[in-house]
Amino acid sequence: MSAQSLSGLLSRASIDDHEEVLRSCDAALAKSRSDLQAQHVKVIALLKLDRYDDCLRVFEDSGDNLKKRAALAYGYALYKSGNPDAAIEVVSGLTDDRGARHLEAQATYRAEKFQSTAEIYQSLARDSASAGSEEHDLRINTWAADAQLQWKGHPESVRHTRPTRDDLEAFETVYNAACLSIAKGEFDQAGMLLKRAKELCRTSEDLTPEDRDAELLPIAVQQLYVLICQGKSEEAKFILEEISVKEIHELSTRRIGQNNVTIARGTAANPYALYKALHEIPDSTNNDRLFDYQSNVLTGNLHAVDLLVHKYDGIIRSTSKALSQAPYPSTNASTNLLSVYNVAAHAKGESGASALKAILSVVERRPKDIGLILTAVQLYVSLGNTTSAITTLEKSLRLLEESISEGDKETRYNPGLLSVLIALYKREGRKTQIRAELGKAAAFWKEQTSQPTSLLRAAGASLLHSSLASDSTQAAELFKSLYEKTPDDLFAVAGYVASHAAIDYSQVDAQAKYLPSVEDLISDVDIASLEAAGVSPSSSTTAAAAAAIAGARKRPAADGERTVKRVRKSRLPKDYDASKTADPERWLPLRDRSSYRPRGRKGKQRAAERTQGGMVTEKSEETTPTGAQQKPQGGGGSSKKKKKGKR
């Protein structure tokens, strides 16, 4: 049989045994290595057999023709091999292919580009004609994307709020809704949803007993985490009995389960047992690996237990090697976490001032290491030395600002780092510095393509309260830009109106009508109930009331009446006589009174020398300006008086 006829037969055949398909393809390719049809069938068979690395080798050996013909399969092999970025690059070029859009969504999810994932799923759901059979999967995946967006710190992009009736019908959707509640910190809501998910999973008729047990384990692990966060140790003990970590198939989930189970069992009393338990699970690889925020927590736990067993030198070596390969400076959480544990190992279990001394010596060598700087700042604040914390942070920020690197400047005006500095300024009431920092940050980010909206809003609000004309102009520009981007944002509208009203009210007259009136804002405020609940009145009201009370207790003097203050008798001198007039010079020193007369020859001489315009004697000229006698200078002999003794 020729290779061409075999390729034709394979294209029309339907063989369920993928190993048999693979053997047939190898036989055809042995006769003709360039048979594109046989190559295509072979890579599909390898994908069915989960041999993704072998599949990629076939693609690389066959050339670009196979990659173009089986682009979707090539992208899927890259995705399953743990290379989501390359998979995105391949499948994003496949237009009008719904399968490619699903694969792109999965790859962006794995690459932690959750905003792109949510947008792709939203576009897939809008095509109602094609989404009919995919409605259930799309609902599950959109909930998962929203949960990850919340974890990554993008709550403004989350589209789901509460699960609907349809969402509560499938355990996968309920489980993802519980994950979103956990990310929001709503543990009571998450606990109820997890119970619901467990009940639906146990009663599902679509799952085999093996699949049911596999799905229940991650739910139990998540329940355990919620109970630990709530401090419900007794309920956590019952959940521990349901979890068998070794039966969890996914390595990433097994690592999380091992971490939670170990902490729940309280093995921290023996740090060496804790160290052994947390190091038992191997690292997950390829497509089964932890997300960054999960990896950061587990890495921190591992380094913390290393510190407990005094492996200081090992931590210093491992973290120093990783930091040498990481960008410097960096605002990445995982990189800065390594810096924190590196310097903790240098401190060798010390705390307070002694730990700060060790940290500052490391800061001198790496003055742009954000993790080190923030650790030093935190220790200064814990010691009550906010001024030194500000000085340390300002010194590093100054180095970043003076750098010619664009990356350093972007780190300098990082919103998170800037918020730390502003919080420190607030502790010391430095309002001028706060406005100056926000103004510089706003001027920098205004020139960038991606702008942090929260920082620009804060900068505009702060500059709006300044009395300087330059600050008011900058605030007007910021709010104008924010208003043009988000005209429905009432904060941006209010800032735009407030910043432009003093310049030309006619420009903002139309926008001001959209703002709620003061009467509407305070219509539901009950002032009487607030005062009854203990809300203190303003300082001016308090001062007026105090003055009224003080005035009510005094007897007003009659017209022409002079009030004479009575002095208690115990404060008067013993020889006091009310009929005699007191000496007006009684408060002056004795020698400064007009009645003073010096006694003796020396006293009269000193009095004459103090007299203005008196005669100057030779003896007075020999004295220094302070009146002290000058001592002989140079090598002259000293005149000594003879000692008195017995004759």
Side-chain angles (χ1 to χ4, degrees):
M1 183 182 292
S2 64
Q4 288 78 11
S5 59
L6 178 60
S7 300
L9 178 61
L10 288 173
S11 64
R12 295 190 298 271
S14 58
I15 305 175
D16 294 332
D17 189 353
H18 305 297
E19 291 286 355
E20 185 179 351
V21 173
L22 191 59
R23 286 193 294 270
S24 301
C25 291
D26 288 337
L29 291 172
K31 297 178 180 180
S32 176
R33 296 189 60 182
S34 60
D35 189 342
L36 191 59
Q37 177 70 12
Q39 292 170 348
H40 191 175
V41 175
K42 182 176 181 178
V43 295
I44 299 300
L46 289 171
L47 289 178
K48 294 290 186 180
L49 294 170
D50 296 339
R51 294 169 56 178
Y52 306 112
D53 293 336
D54 293 337
C55 181
L56 286 177
R57 276 193 290 270
V58 174
F59 273 110
E60 295 302 326
D61 295 339
S62 301
D64 294 337
N65 290 333
L66 180 61
K67 292 179 181 179
K68 292 179 181 179
R69 176 169 178 169
L72 185 59
Y74 181 48
Y76 185 73
L78 289 169
Y79 162 69
K80 296 297 288 185
S81 299
N83 197 348
D85 292 322
I88 295 169
E89 185 178 355
V90 171
V91 299
S92 60
L94 301 177
T95 58
D96 300 330
D97 191 328
R98 193 171 180 86
R101 299 282 74 73
H102 276 283
L103 179 55
E104 185 180 3
Q106 292 288 340
T108 54
Y109 184 87
R110 185 65 267 175
E112 302 191 36
K113 300 176 181 179
F114 301 119
Q115 289 181 326
S116 299
T117 305
E119 292 172 0
I120 293 171
Y121 281 132
Q122 190 178 20
S123 65
L124 289 172
R126 280 197 293 264
D127 188 359
S128 57
S130 303
S133 60
E134 303 171 357
E135 182 180 358
H136 179 65
D137 293 336
L138 288 174
R139 183 181 292 114
I140 294 171
N141 292 340
T142 52
W143 272 101
D146 279 353
Q148 297 293 354
L149 282 170
Q150 185 71 36
W151 276 115
K152 292 289 284 187
H154 301 288
E156 69 282 354
S157 301
V158 175
R159 294 176 175 83
H160 290 94
T161 53
R162 297 291 178 183
T164 62
R165 184 184 297 273
D166 293 335
D167 295 330
L168 296 174
E169 296 300 323
F171 77 91
E172 299 98 333
T173 316
V174 178
Y175 175 77
N176 287 342
C179 292
L180 177 58
S181 297
I182 293 172
K184 292 180 177 180
E186 301 171 352
F187 296 113
D188 293 335
Q189 175 74 9
M192 291 187 293
L193 290 173
L194 288 171
K195 290 180 181 179
R196 171 70 175 170
K198 183 180 289 186
E199 179 184 353
L200 291 172
C201 184
R202 284 173 175 167
T203 58
S204 176
E205 298 179 355
D206 299 331
L207 298 174
T208 62
E210 293 78 10
D211 292 339
R212 185 181 299 111
D213 294 338
E215 294 289 351
L216 284 172
L217 279 173
I219 299 175
V221 170
Q222 203 73 294
Q223 270 189 305
L224 180 62
Y225 173 76
V226 171
L227 293 173
I228 292 173
C229 293
Q230 291 177 314
K232 299 179 179 180
S233 56
E234 294 299 325
E235 295 183 34
K237 292 180 181 178
F238 293 103
I239 299 298
L240 279 173
E241 299 176 358
E242 303 178 11
I243 300 174
S244 177
V245 176
K246 295 182 179 179
E247 295 180 4
I248 301 177
H249 301 297
E250 296 179 351
L251 281 178
S252 58
T253 307
R254 195 188 304 177
R255 290 192 67 196
I256 295 173
Q258 180 69 42
N259 179 82
N260 293 355
V261 167
T262 303
I263 293 174
R265 286 176 178 166
T267 55
N270 185 348
Y272 296 95
L274 180 62
Y275 175 87
K276 180 181 178 181
L278 291 181
H279 284 81
E280 284 181 347
I281 305 300
D283 292 338
S284 52
T285 56
N286 293 337
N287 209 38
D288 184 19
R289 60 178 185 269
L290 299 171
F291 291 112
D292 279 348
Y293 66 90
Q294 296 172 325
S295 179
N296 290 339
V297 174
L298 293 189
T299 301
N301 287 349
L302 293 177
H303 285 315
V305 76
D306 288 344
L307 290 172
L308 290 176
V309 297
H310 308 295
K311 291 200 169 188
Y312 304 127
D313 294 337
I315 296 174
I316 292 173
R317 285 195 301 269
S318 61
T319 53
S320 297
K321 181 179 179 181
L323 288 171
S324 64
Q325 299 171 357
Y328 174 79
S330 173
T331 55
N332 186 276
S334 58
T335 302
N336 289 314
L337 185 67
L338 292 175
S339 299
V340 173
Y341 282 101
N342 179 279
V343 77
H346 277 93
K348 296 184 178 181
E350 298 291 337
S351 60
S354 56
L356 185 60
K357 183 179 180 180
I359 290 173
L360 292 178
S361 63
V362 184
V363 170
E364 291 295 328
R365 297 194 297 269
R366 292 176 62 87
K368 297 181 184 179
D369 193 321
I370 305 302
L372 291 179
I373 299 303
L374 293 180
T375 305
V377 167
Q378 184 176 4
L379 280 176
Y380 269 127
V381 173
S382 64
L383 294 173
N385 193 349
T386 308
T387 303
S388 295
I390 293 174
T391 304
T392 302
L393 185 55
E394 285 180 337
K395 182 179 179 181
S396 296
L397 294 179
R398 195 178 305 112
L399 292 175
L400 293 171
E401 189 171 358
E402 294 172 354
S403 174
I404 60 174
S405 172
E406 289 297 327
D408 286 7
K409 292 185 180 298
E410 188 170 338
T411 303
R412 161 67 177 87
Y413 295 108
N414 178 270
L417 192 59
L418 196 64
S419 65
V420 175
L421 180 62
I422 291 174
L424 294 173
Y425 281 153
K426 284 184 177 180
R427 289 174 68 97
E428 294 197 347
R430 302 188 186 184
K431 297 181 179 180
T432 305
Q433 285 88 338
I434 291 175
R435 279 197 296 268
E437 282 296 327
L438 289 174
K440 289 195 296 184
F444 170 80
W445 286 110
K446 190 178 178 182
E447 305 298 328
Q448 309 302 316
T449 53
S450 59
Q451 302 173 352
T453 305
S454 58
L455 189 146
L456 297 180
R457 287 161 61 111
S462 178
L463 294 170
L464 196 59
H465 291 84
S466 175
S467 59
L468 298 177
S470 58
D471 291 345
S472 301
T473 303
Q474 188 178 4
E477 294 175 355
L478 285 174
F479 278 116
K480 182 180 180 180
S481 175
L482 291 172
Y483 172 70
E484 291 175 349
K485 292 179 181 178
T486 55
D488 297 331
D489 184 6
L490 287 180
F491 185 91
V493 175
Y496 178 69
V497 171
S499 59
H500 286 77
I503 302 173
D504 186 2
Y505 186 78
S506 60
Q507 296 181 3
V508 296
D509 188 20
Q511 288 78 9
K513 296 178 181 178
Y514 291 101
L515 296 176
S517 62
V518 177
E519 290 76 12
D520 294 338
L521 293 175
I522 64 173
S523 60
D524 57 344
V525 178
D526 189 351
I527 299 177
S529 63
L530 288 176
E531 292 183 347
V535 176
S536 61
S538 63
S539 57
S540 59
T541 307
T542 306
I549 294 172
R553 290 180 180 176
K554 291 182 179 180
R555 181 182 63 83
D559 293 340
E561 182 179 353
R562 181 181 178 184
T563 304
V564 179
K565 186 176 181 180
R566 184 176 65 87
V567 181
R568 285 181 292 178
K569 190 174 182 180
S570 60
R571 292 183 176 274
L572 298 175
K574 294 181 180 180
D575 55 349
Y576 173 71
D577 188 357
S579 61
K580 295 182 180 180
T581 303
D583 185 6
E585 296 181 352
R586 63 186 182 277
W587 308 115
L588 298 176
L590 184 63
R591 64 176 178 272
D592 293 339
R593 299 181 188 180
S594 58
S595 60
Y596 173 69
R597 297 291 182 270
R599 297 180 182 180
R601 182 174 58 83
K602 292 184 179 180
K604 293 179 180 179
Q605 182 179 347
R606 283 195 293 267
E609 292 173 356
R610 288 196 299 267
T611 304
Q612 185 176 2
M615 295 178 63
V616 180
T617 63
E618 294 181 359
K619 190 173 183 179
S620 62
E621 286 183 346
E622 294 176 357
T623 60
T624 62
T626 59
Q629 297 292 327
Q630 291 183 350
K631 294 183 179 181
Q633 303 291 327
S638 60
S639 59
K640 296 182 180 180
K641 294 182 179 180
K642 293 182 180 180
K643 296 181 180 180
K644 294 182 179 180
K646 294 182 180 180
R647 294 183 180 179

